[in-house]
Amino acid sequence: MRFDTKIAVVVRADLPTWQKLNMTAFLVSGIAATQEGIIGEPYIDGSGTRYLPMFRQPVLVFAGSAEQLREVYRRAQGRELPLAIFTEELFATGHDEANRAAVRALRAAIY
């Protein structure tokens, strides 16, 4: 099956695996919450057990250096693509309000 669009997640390659996975989960939640029609129907197995729905399209996860991430960010901004961000500062926060304050404290040029 061909898809018109794909979900791309780009994380820093030099982070521990748990941080990459944590970032990926948070980043795709922003996509799931805002892009209409991106989520499919719930799954049901042969025993009738129901499972949560998932994205309809592929999710591609890439890793790169800090400079490569800055370039991806610039290109996405230039194309006016909707973005979710997860900065290093968010690993030190404990809840959504603190996450927002941490992002608000940064300027886009440093991502």
Side-chain angles (χ1 to χ4, degrees):
M1 176 175 226
R2 303 281 300 168
F3 295 90
D4 292 337
T5 60
K6 296 174 184 69
I7 298 167
V9 178
V10 186
V11 297
R12 269 194 13 222
D14 64 338
L15 295 175
T17 300
W18 75 267
Q19 287 184 333
K20 291 177 195 171
L21 293 170
N22 185 274
M23 291 174 81
T24 300
F26 273 91
L27 292 168
V28 298
S29 72
I31 296 166
T34 61
Q35 301 302 305
E36 188 175 317
I38 202 163
I39 302 295
E41 296 297 320
Y43 288 79
I44 303 172
D45 68 18
S47 300
T49 303
R50 294 180 60 87
Y51 301 94
L52 295 173
M54 295 185 273
F55 291 122
R56 294 178 184 267
Q57 62 197 71
V59 178
L60 309 172
V61 181
F62 302 96
S65 67
E67 181 52 42
Q68 288 170 318
L69 266 66
R70 281 189 286 274
E71 179 58 26
V72 168
Y73 177 84
R74 285 190 288 269
R75 288 175 59 191
Q77 286 283 64
R79 294 178 183 170
E80 298 181 355
L81 296 173
L83 296 171
I85 62 163
F86 193 106
T87 65
E88 191 169 347
E89 291 78 8
L90 298 185
F91 288 118
T93 60
H95 54 85
D96 189 53
E97 193 173 310
N99 290 349
R100 291 172 194 285
V103 170
R104 200 169 25 257
L106 301 173
R107 297 185 51 83
I110 66 168
Y111 296 151

